[in-house]
Amino acid sequence: MRIAALSTVLLTLLAQQALAQPATFTVAPQMVADEKAVFATVESANIVPARARIGGTVAELSVKDGDEVKQGQIVAIIGDEKLVLQMKSLDAQIAGLEAQLSQAQTDLKRAEDLFSKGTIPRTRLDEARTAFNVATNAQRAKVAERSVVEQQLSEGKVLAPTAGRVLKVPVTAGAVVLPGEPVASIAEKNFVLRLRVPERHALHMKAGDTIRIDSEALGAGGAKFGTIKLVYPQIQDGRVTADAKVDGLGDYFVGERIRVWVSAGKRESIVVPAAFIITRFGVDYARVRKDGAVIDVPVQRGRLMPRPDMPDALEILSGLKAGDILVKP
């Protein structure tokens, strides 16, 4: 029992001693990105138009600018009075053909009965059977023609081709549209950050690189990072276009401009956590452990270089060298 109690006390003292020791950081030169600030815009990867499949008049408009839609949702309904009149005409023709088909079926049955009794020749029976087949096929043809018109009427419903945000609705209720004319422009979901970087800086940019975003523009604090998904091969006006994936871009404002830092090359530098630097009377110091003692060494502060593994990374221009052990204040 005493040995167990002593062991527990010893472990507690060692833990407290470990907690009492200040955190340290060993200085080592490392390759860092030479960042350049550029502007990027929040854009949809694809802007898809919802087009009218038939011509006619916009009878109903179900969306407006800024609305969020789901795939297959009805955006507008286009009506064509000619199709309605054609449908009524076909209904009347089908009714007449059904009457003819009923009469042909009755004549065929009567001819079969008379032929079985030997009253009429086979020729009359064959004529009745042929008339019945002609009436059946004529009725089926009109029903199929009516199905075509009915499909055209159903195509008057303009459906959203993808889920996303409605950017623009260029028509109004009562407007006349032609087949293939766009009724609404829809920005597909999963917005991307589209960068346009000068070609001299884009030589070092490739898919998979990390970029740093001005998180204040997104209404968030601290550093925010993204990953380049695609670098377009075509150069326009001396600029290279690239798409980056960033969480939390939102899905409402399209074309919003955000400041972004991209890598324009690599260089060697000393980077330490900003928490290890103290400032007294306008002078920056780092606490360095030398020969068992801790002394304050003046340093020249560079700029903040946040990165995913060190959110408070700070570049030190002078005052520290490789191998120095920093003690956290």
Side-chain angles (χ1 to χ4, degrees):
M1 295 292 291
R2 289 185 177 181
I3 295 176
L6 290 174
S7 299
T8 303
V9 173
L10 181 59
L11 290 175
T12 303
L13 292 175
L14 290 175
Q16 292 177 353
Q17 185 177 1
L19 292 174
Q21 292 180 354
T24 60
F25 179 84
T26 303
V27 176
Q30 52 189 291
M31 298 300 294
V32 298
D34 189 9
E35 295 180 331
K36 300 296 181 182
V38 297
F39 276 98
T41 55
V42 179
E43 296 184 14
S44 172
N46 297 301
I47 297 179
V48 187
R51 297 184 183 273
R53 291 178 288 179
I54 64 171
T57 304
V58 179
E60 181 181 343
L61 199 59
S62 306
V63 297
K64 61 182 184 299
D65 295 358
D67 284 353
E68 185 176 359
V69 295
K70 298 179 180 179
Q71 186 175 10
Q73 178 178 335
I74 296 177
V75 174
I77 296 178
I78 298 175
D80 190 350
E81 295 181 358
K82 297 190 298 295
L83 293 177
V84 177
L85 295 176
Q86 190 175 355
M87 180 75 75
K88 292 180 179 179
S89 174
L90 289 173
D91 287 339
Q93 294 179 42
I94 290 173
L97 290 174
E98 287 178 348
Q100 293 180 10
L101 177 61
S102 178
Q103 181 62 41
Q105 187 176 8
T106 302
D107 294 342
L108 177 60
K109 186 176 180 181
R110 184 182 300 114
E112 288 175 347
D113 292 341
L114 293 175
F115 178 77
S116 64
K117 297 176 181 179
T119 306
I120 62 174
R122 179 175 291 276
T123 305
R124 292 282 304 275
L125 176 62
D126 292 340
E127 290 176 357
R129 184 175 288 112
T130 301
F132 173 75
N133 292 335
V134 171
T136 301
N137 292 330
Q139 190 265 350
R140 290 177 179 175
K142 284 299 177 182
V143 170
E145 188 176 350
R146 185 186 186 280
S147 299
V148 173
V149 178
E150 188 175 1
Q151 177 63 27
Q152 290 179 341
L153 280 174
S154 67
E155 289 179 352
K157 297 179 181 179
V158 181
L159 307 180
T162 184
R165 182 76 61 180
V166 177
L167 294 183
K168 187 177 181 181
V169 181
V171 299
T172 59
V176 177
V177 294
L178 300 176
E181 187 173 347
V183 175
S185 297
I186 300 174
E188 190 178 9
K189 277 191 172 181
N190 301 325
F191 285 8
V192 297
L193 197 61
R194 185 152 293 169
L195 297 81
R196 292 173 176 84
V197 184
E199 56 182 319
R200 65 180 182 276
H201 298 329
L203 296 176
H204 306 279
M205 190 170 58
K206 63 183 183 301
D209 287 350
T210 300
I211 61 173
R212 181 163 60 93
I213 297 103
D214 186 359
S215 57
E216 294 180 358
L218 300 176
K224 198 173 186 64
F225 303 94
T227 304
I228 294 179
K229 295 173 51 181
L230 175 65
V231 179
Y232 292 90
Q234 185 176 7
I235 298 177
Q236 294 181 342
D237 299 329
R239 295 183 178 273
V240 175
T241 304
D243 288 346
K245 181 180 180 181
V246 182
D247 295 333
L249 276 183
D251 60 353
Y252 190 83
F253 291 110
V254 178
E256 180 182 5
R257 299 185 68 192
I258 298 175
R259 187 168 55 177
V260 177
W261 283 265
V262 299
S263 174
K266 298 287 186 179
R267 58 186 174 84
E268 189 178 76
S269 181
I270 292 178
V271 178
V272 302
F276 284 81
I277 305 300
I278 58 176
T279 303
R280 293 199 304 266
F281 303 107
V283 181
D284 297 319
Y285 294 91
R287 292 186 174 178
V288 181
R289 180 181 295 171
K290 288 186 178 180
D291 301 328
V294 177
I295 61 175
D296 289 345
V297 177
V299 296
Q300 184 176 358
R301 178 194 295 260
R303 62 176 180 173
L304 288 171
M305 304 180 67
R307 58 193 191 192
D309 60 336
M310 191 184 296
D312 61 341
L314 175 66
E315 184 180 14
I316 300 299
L317 302 179
S318 64
L320 298 178
K321 63 181 184 300
D324 286 346
I325 298 177
L326 305 185
V327 179
K328 190 173 183 179

